[in-house]
Structures are given as structure tokens and as C-alpha cells.
Amino acid sequence: QVQLVESGGGSVQPGGSLRLSCAASRYRDSIACMGWFRQAPGKERERVASINRNYIRNYADSVKGRFTIYKDNAKNTLALQMNSLKPEDSAMYYCAADISSLGCGAFNFWGQGTQVTVSS
């Protein structure tokens, strides 16, 4: 199994930046894909970004050009750099892992989440 712990959330003004981190109990070739999701009150859960074992990245249209997903296999960590933050980015952000051989299709393990609030 995979255990995930997020950190780095907080409050920031519009236009500011935050970097979210996720520590995983295992990574490298044992995890097919890792991703960041977010959910705001009254909204559907949204996949923000993902990265597979070949470092192929995918982003939601709403964050392209502003967010970047990174992974560090040596440290078993995942990060999300968020720049030019907007109020609509406010949400609970979750780290997730897919251990399927296909990758990025079934996220089996989830962290507890970290809150991001963007407001003046």
C-alpha cells in the first residue's frame, strides 16, 4: 500500500505563489502515476495535474501555464508549484497515487488534503 501526506497549503493573496508537497511511502517504478486533485465547496472534484513514471505531465486547462507538477523519485516526493494564484484556485488539494500498470486511470490511494485559500 501507499501512504501519502500533503503539506504546504495556506493562505495567499491573488497573484501569489505556493508550493505543495506530498510524501509517499514508496515511489519510483512501483507507482504508475501520481497526481494532484482539488475540490472546492459545491464543486466537483477536479484533477489539477498528474505525472506518470515516464515524466509525462497533464494539466487541467484552468491551471496550464501557472502550475507545474514535479516528482523526485529519490526522495519519494511529489510537488505542485502554483504561481499567479487566483481566488478560484481556493480548494482542498489532495495528493493521489495510481499503482496500476496502465497509469493515471485509477487513483487508489489518497492523502488527507491540504487547504489552499486565495483571497485579498
Side-chain angles (χ1 to χ4, degrees):
Q1 296 190 24
V2 180
Q3 293 181 329
L4 305 171
V5 180
E6 303 98 332
S7 63
S11 297
V12 66
Q13 295 183 347
S17 298
L18 283 174
R19 186 177 180 88
L20 306 183
S21 295
C22 173
S25 61
R26 64 172 179 170
Y27 200 79
R28 294 186 182 272
D29 292 340
S30 64
I31 299 178
C33 184
M34 296 192 73
W36 287 98
F37 292 74
R38 68 185 182 188
Q39 187 166 29
K43 303 292 185 180
E44 295 183 349
R45 186 184 65 190
E46 175 187 26
R47 183 161 70 171
V48 176
S50 65
I51 183 167
N52 71 5
R53 67 178 72 228
N54 295 319
Y55 293 85
I56 296 175
R57 296 168 168 86
N58 286 293
Y59 297 95
D61 288 341
S62 59
V63 307
K64 287 181 179 178
R66 299 188 298 119
F67 292 11
T68 306
I69 187 170
Y70 302 90
K71 67 174 180 177
D72 187 334
N73 289 350
K75 297 181 179 180
N76 282 0
T77 57
L78 181 77
L80 183 70
Q81 179 66 44
M82 305 185 294
N83 297 327
S84 302
L85 283 162
K86 304 174 181 179
E88 51 263 44
D89 294 318
S90 297
M92 184 71 73
Y93 283 72
Y94 300 91
C95 175
D98 182 350
I99 64 172
S100 169
S101 61
L102 297 178
C104 297
F107 290 89
N108 313 101
F109 302 96
W110 298 80
Q112 295 298 310
T114 186
Q115 181 67 44
V116 172
T117 302
V118 185
S119 63
S120 299

